[in-house]
Amino acid sequence: MELSAAQSFHGLDVPAAVLTEFTPPEAWAGRQAAGTLWVATDQGRVEAFLGATVHGDRLHIDEFAVAQGHQGQGLGRRMLERVVAWARDRAFRRLSLTTFRNVPFNGPFYASAGFRIWDPAPREIAALLAGEAARGLKDRCAMVMEL
Ligand SMILES: CC(C)(COP(=O)(O)OP(=O)(O)OC[C@H]1O[C@@H](n2cnc3c(N)ncnc32)[C@H](O)[C@@H]1OP(=O)(O)O)[C@@H](O)C(=O)NCCC(=O)NCCS
């Protein structure tokens, strides 16, 4: 499913690994146990997921993916709204993520959902961006939504 979602990056200036590598399912078990893994299913198949991690009063979105055949139909926006509501209910103060600044369904999508570019970002977020740059990801930015 993650690889299906990633096919949207075909033709963009991304490292080949973005199109071929995926997180093993067991790596999500910790988020599932913590209640910070959301999935959308269709006839028992996972068609979208959002995995996040708690950092104090900030919830960080580690990964968000909608299977290619389901993209562009509002599922991602609805799922994000669900997560925002969940975080507000639990008195989180911020929602954060890193993403491609100019890919239409990344930076501009999140901006339309209420995120803003986080620059300067706190040290731990800057470290994430540095790690992404070291893996060859270009034009990345941190974004934050004040809850
Ligand atoms: C990003 C993603 C999760 C959004 O989910 P989605 O279900 O496709 O999103 P929605 O249908 O709710 O669309 C949300 C907005 O994104 C934009 N968008 C979605 N797909 C787009 C596309 N292919 N091209 C341009 N804009 C697009 C639109 O502006 C849309 O806004 P609208 O509601 O005003 O039409 C999904 O596209 C995806 O999995 N992409 C590949 C992986 C990825 O980029 N993950 C996020 C990494 S931070």
Side-chain angles (χ1 to χ4, degrees):
M1 201 247 95
E2 188 180 350
L3 285 181
S4 163
Q7 299 319 303
S8 299
F9 292 112
H10 257 298
L12 301 174
D13 185 14
V14 296
V18 168
L19 306 174
T20 56
E21 290 179 5
F22 62 93
T23 311
E26 55 273 18
W28 298 106
R31 274 90 153 190
Q32 187 173 17
T36 56
L37 180 69
W38 288 262
V39 300
T41 59
D42 184 11
Q43 299 181 349
R45 282 172 55 104
V46 173
E47 299 293 4
F49 76 91
L50 187 156
T53 310
V54 173
H55 298 266
D57 60 7
R58 175 171 62 87
L59 185 68
H60 185 81
I61 298 176
D62 302 303
E63 184 133 7
F64 184 20
V66 172
Q68 196 167 42
H70 290 261
Q71 289 176 12
Q73 298 166 38
L75 177 56
R77 201 178 279 284
R78 287 199 303 279
M79 197 168 212
L80 188 56
E81 285 169 0
R82 184 80 66 92
V83 173
V84 168
W86 182 92
R88 283 202 172 111
D89 281 352
R90 282 153 188 81
F92 282 92
R93 291 188 53 211
R94 292 192 177 94
L95 194 56
S96 61
L97 54 84
T98 62
T99 194
F100 288 105
R101 187 185 298 266
N102 291 312
V103 172
F105 50 87
N106 281 192
F109 161 53
Y110 291 117
S112 76
F115 285 82
R116 65 175 169 83
I117 301 276
W118 207 3
D119 186 18
R123 188 178 307 175
E124 66 270 27
I125 299 281
L128 286 181
L129 289 173
E132 292 174 355
R135 295 204 308 277
L137 298 174
K138 296 176 194 152
D139 198 27
R140 300 283 290 179
C141 66
M143 299 187 82
V144 65
M145 183 193 291
E146 312 290 343
L147 298 172

